[in-house]
Amino acid sequence: ITVVKQMERVDFCGKSSAKPSEQPDNPLPPFSVDDTDLSTGSFAGCGVVTVKRNVHGYKKLSLVTREELSRSELSLPDMEYDTFAFWLDCDASGIGQSLTPEDFGHGVHALSHAFCNVAPLFVPCCSNDVQCDHSFYNPKRVVIFDARAGGSGITAQLWKSVFRPEGIVEAAINLLESCPSCSDDRGYDGGCPACIQAGECIKFNDFLCKRSGLILAKNLLKRMQQTELFQINEKEFKEMARDESGAGELSPVKTKKRKESQPLVSPRRNKRERALRAAKAIENARQRQMVVGRPSWPLDRCDDTPQKQQEA
C-alpha cells in the first residue's frame, strides 16, 4: 500500500514509552524509512492510497487431514486501484523494542482486524466494506482502507472516530479484552470469529496475537491522548455530555465567544466543500478504476445518423 495523497495528518511529539531495561535479548530490528512515502514522520493521517495485490499461486489441501498435496505457481497481472484510507503508527521504535519481531507483527495484524470488526459500531457498514493492510514486510502501522476502488466514504467517517473519547480505539481495546467467546481460553491468543478473525483475511487468520494487539492498542491510546486534536475533542465531548445531562449550562459569554470563533458558513456548504475536495483527490483513482458488473458503453455513432437521433 502506497500513500498517494495525504489530506490530514496528526503529528506526535513525545518520548518513547519503552524503557531500555525492557528490551529483550532479540530486539526488533530497525525499520527502514521510505523517502517517497508521504506519511513518513506522522503519527496518524488519512488520504488516498494505492492498493496493489498479486496472486502468486495456489496449493491443494487434503479435505481429511488438511495436508498439502501440491502447489502450483501462477503468473497474473497485478490488481491495483486507488482508494481512501487512514493509518496509525504503532511506535515500532518505542514499544516495539519490548516485543519480539514476531509478536509485534502479529499484534499489528490482530489490532487491524479489531478495527475492521468494530467499524460497524460507528458507521453503517459491514466488516467486508473495509480492509486492512496484511503486509509481511515492515509492519509498523495499522492501515484501514475502503475495499471499493475509488473509496466509499466509510474510512473517511471512521477517521472522525479515531481521535475522540469512546472512539474506535477504545472499542477495539474492549473487544480484545473481553471477547465473550474466547476471553476464558488460557494459552490461546489466536482469537475467534467473534473478535479478531475475519473471513476475508488473506493470511487465513494466521499470525494473530490478541495479547500483543492489546499492548499496542493501549499504548496507541495513551499516545493519542497527548495529541492536541484528542484534547480538543475531549473538551467538546465533556461539554456535550454536560449539556445533555442538564448539570450545567454554558454562560452567555462562552456562547458568544464560540459563535465569534466559528465562521458564518452553513453545514450544508461545508459538506459540499468536503465532498468536492474528496472528489478532486480521487480523480486519479477514477481514471484507473476497475469495472465491476455491467459497464456503460458509449453510444454507437455513424456519419449517416444525426447525433441527436442517436441520443434519443
Side-chain angles (χ1 to χ4, degrees):
I1 295 179
T2 306
V3 179
V4 178
K5 181 178 181 181
Q6 185 169 242
M7 297 181 180
E8 298 181 17
R9 63 179 292 166
V10 179
D11 295 328
F12 175 77
C13 298
K15 297 182 180 180
S16 174
S17 57
K19 298 179 181 179
S21 59
E22 297 177 352
Q23 296 184 2
D25 298 334
N26 184 19
L28 193 69
F31 289 95
S32 60
V33 179
D34 189 3
D35 297 335
T36 60
D37 193 353
L38 301 178
S39 62
T40 301
S42 62
F43 168 54
C46 66
V48 181
V49 298
T50 299
V51 180
K52 186 177 180 180
R53 289 180 176 176
N54 189 10
V55 179
H56 300 282
Y58 66 94
K59 59 182 179 180
K60 294 182 181 180
L61 303 178
S62 174
L63 296 178
V64 180
T65 61
R66 307 302 296 174
E67 294 181 357
E68 183 177 344
L69 301 179
S70 62
R71 180 175 297 188
S72 303
E73 295 183 359
L74 297 175
S75 179
L76 298 175
D78 296 336
M79 296 181 293
E80 183 177 354
Y81 61 92
D82 291 355
T83 185
F84 195 87
F86 72 86
W87 50 88
L88 301 170
D89 180 63
C90 292
D91 194 15
S93 60
I95 195 172
Q97 301 295 337
S98 61
L99 299 172
T100 61
E102 182 179 0
D103 290 341
F104 186 83
H106 296 179
V108 173
H109 189 197
L111 183 57
S112 301
H113 278 207
F115 280 152
C116 294
N117 292 339
V118 300
L121 298 177
F122 301 92
V123 180
C125 67
C126 61
S127 58
N128 297 334
D129 293 334
V130 292
Q131 295 183 7
C132 60
D133 185 16
H134 291 91
S135 176
F136 285 88
Y137 173 73
N138 203 6
K140 61 181 180 180
R141 62 186 179 184
V142 174
V143 182
I144 308 297
F145 60 90
D146 291 331
R148 180 179 299 179
S152 58
I154 296 176
T155 53
Q157 296 294 329
L158 287 177
W159 170 251
K160 302 177 183 178
S161 305
V162 176
F163 288 88
R164 70 176 182 87
E166 299 181 2
I168 188 173
V169 180
E170 295 186 14
I173 293 175
N174 295 333
L175 181 65
L176 293 171
E177 279 183 337
S178 57
C179 175
S181 300
C182 64
S183 58
D184 297 333
D185 295 343
R186 303 298 180 184
Y188 175 70
D189 291 333
C192 66
C195 54
I196 59 176
Q197 292 186 4
E200 64 277 1
C201 177
I202 63 176
K203 292 184 179 179
F204 305 102
N205 292 316
D206 289 333
F207 314 108
L208 292 172
C209 183
K210 289 181 59 178
R211 179 184 57 83
S212 301
L214 185 60
I215 294 174
L216 295 178
K218 289 184 177 180
N219 180 68
L220 181 64
L221 179 61
K222 186 183 300 183
R223 298 170 66 208
M224 286 172 52
Q225 292 174 350
Q226 301 178 13
T227 59
E228 183 179 359
L229 179 60
F230 188 93
Q231 295 175 1
I232 293 175
N233 293 335
E234 185 179 14
K235 186 180 298 184
E236 294 179 356
F237 180 80
K238 290 181 179 179
E239 291 180 359
M240 291 176 59
R242 185 180 60 183
D243 294 342
E244 292 177 358
S245 61
E249 297 181 357
L250 294 176
S251 61
V253 178
K254 293 183 178 180
T255 307
K256 184 177 180 181
K257 289 183 179 179
R258 177 181 294 182
K259 291 182 178 179
E260 290 178 355
S261 60
Q262 296 178 353
L264 299 177
V265 181
S266 62
R268 184 175 297 179
R269 182 176 179 181
N270 286 332
K271 190 174 181 179
R272 289 198 301 265
E273 291 178 354
R274 290 194 299 267
L276 182 60
R277 289 195 298 266
K280 290 180 179 179
I282 63 176
E283 183 178 359
N284 186 24
R286 291 180 177 177
Q287 296 176 0
R288 296 188 297 167
Q289 183 174 358
M290 297 183 298
V291 178
V292 178
R294 182 177 63 84
S296 57
W297 300 101
L299 296 174
D300 295 330
R301 293 183 179 152
C302 57
D303 299 335
D304 300 335
T305 307
Q307 179 179 355
K308 295 182 179 180
Q309 184 177 354
Q310 287 284 341
E311 295 178 353

